[in-house]
Amino acid sequence: MSTYAEVAPHERRHLLPLLGGYLAMLLVVLVIALPLYWIVATSLKERPDIYTVPVTWVPNPVTLENYDGVRQGVPFLTFLRNSVLITGVLTIVQVVLGVLSAFALSFLRFPGRTLVLLLIIAALMVPNQITWISNYALVSQLGWRNSFIGIIVPLAGVAFGTFLLRNHFVSLPKEIVEAAEMDHAGPFTMLWRVVLPMSWPTVIAFTLITIVNEWNQYLWPLLIAEGSDTAPLPVGLTQLQDAEGFTNWGPVMAGTVLTMLPILIVFLLLQRHMIKGLTAGAVKG
């Protein structure tokens, strides 16, 4: 192995930035991984071990009593069912509407198309929290409080998906699209047989982003859901936090781990497609 003194001077200029990059990457990994490790380790500790000073980093002994506490403390399976239902419906709606609206803005000619695109871009700049008061008043008037439809409908906007997919659609090779038009392909034929086969990585990336975002929704469901029948997991776990008048960190951490697991499995299954979709067009050649 060559030592630093044996490396040529022109190679040292590249070696130092490379080492700096690795150190920065290691620091970022530690910042991300350390809280995750602490959550998992705390969920496996006995109750006295959690509040020991100084803190212990390794559970000794390892116990699953906190996970049993989650099962006994809250209707976990009901909250899980609600999260799966809300996330599944919102993902399907947003992906379908995002694909259709992006296709229309990319390939169809209609009056006001540019204005619609500008309105979508403007919607991206407006924080969702600004609309919550008006949305809450409307949902209350419609009698949708404490219902799935009251949670899902206000969250079904697809401005980000439309913008992301539209930018990808307009980057597709024009020759292929023009060839489909010369063959008199209709809009749905062009979408299904020409555009989507070239766009699945980007569509899957948007799908995964949507799943993660909707799975972690907290404030809006907290406002609308009034009971266990409609509350998703992030809202339901607050019942563990308030039990007995103080934060019982063991079950809270165990519930957090159980909440992370489904979304982690989905991410591991789709991560390759997500990276490919997000980097599409970034590398030429």
Side-chain angles (χ1 to χ4, degrees), residues 66-281:
N66 293 318
Y67 291 88
D68 191 50
V70 174
R71 183 180 61 83
Q72 295 178 358
V74 296
F76 182 82
L77 292 180
T78 302
F79 294 142
L80 178 63
R81 179 205 63 185
N82 298 340
S83 282
V84 171
L85 177 64
I86 293 170
T87 303
V89 172
L90 279 172
T91 301
I92 293 172
V93 170
Q94 292 191 17
V95 171
V96 171
L97 291 180
V99 168
L100 294 178
S101 57
F103 179 82
L105 290 171
S106 303
F107 300 108
L108 302 184
R109 300 290 182 266
F110 56 89
R113 189 179 67 157
T114 303
L115 177 61
V116 172
L117 179 60
L118 291 176
L119 289 175
I120 290 173
I121 295 174
L124 288 172
M125 302 176 185
V126 178
N128 292 334
Q129 291 81 357
I130 291 178
T131 63
W132 282 0
I133 294 177
S134 57
N135 285 344
Y136 184 83
L138 180 59
V139 167
S140 298
Q141 290 177 0
L142 293 173
W144 289 355
R145 288 181 59 191
N146 199 30
S147 67
F148 288 119
I149 192 171
I151 297 175
I152 291 173
V153 171
L155 296 177
V158 290
F160 170 73
T162 302
F163 183 71
L164 175 70
L165 294 172
R166 185 260 176 192
N167 285 349
H168 171 72
F169 288 170
V170 297
S171 69
L172 296 176
K174 290 183 172 53
E175 294 80 5
I176 298 177
V177 176
E178 291 172 356
E181 291 175 344
M182 292 177 65
D183 290 339
H184 305 290
F188 285 101
T189 301
M190 183 184 298
L191 172 63
W192 186 251
R193 296 192 173 183
V194 178
V195 175
L196 283 181
M198 296 187 292
S199 307
W200 284 123
T202 304
V203 174
I204 291 175
F206 172 58
T207 302
L208 184 55
I209 292 172
T210 304
I211 290 174
V212 173
N213 187 50
E214 304 307 334
W215 184 266
N216 293 326
Q217 285 288 348
Y218 173 71
L219 288 178
W220 178 251
L222 179 65
L223 291 173
I224 299 301
E226 298 177 348
S228 303
D229 292 339
T230 55
L233 271 172
V235 177
L237 291 182
T238 59
Q239 296 181 13
L240 289 171
Q241 195 172 18
D242 295 332
E244 303 177 14
F246 66 92
T247 302
N248 193 357
W249 287 112
V252 169
M253 294 301 180
T256 304
V257 172
L258 294 174
T259 303
M260 288 191 303
L261 279 180
I263 208 68
L264 182 62
I265 293 173
V266 172
F267 177 78
L268 292 176
L269 292 175
L270 299 179
Q271 62 167 334
R272 184 166 58 90
H273 301 284
M274 179 181 179
I275 294 172
K276 185 177 180 181
L278 292 178
T279 57

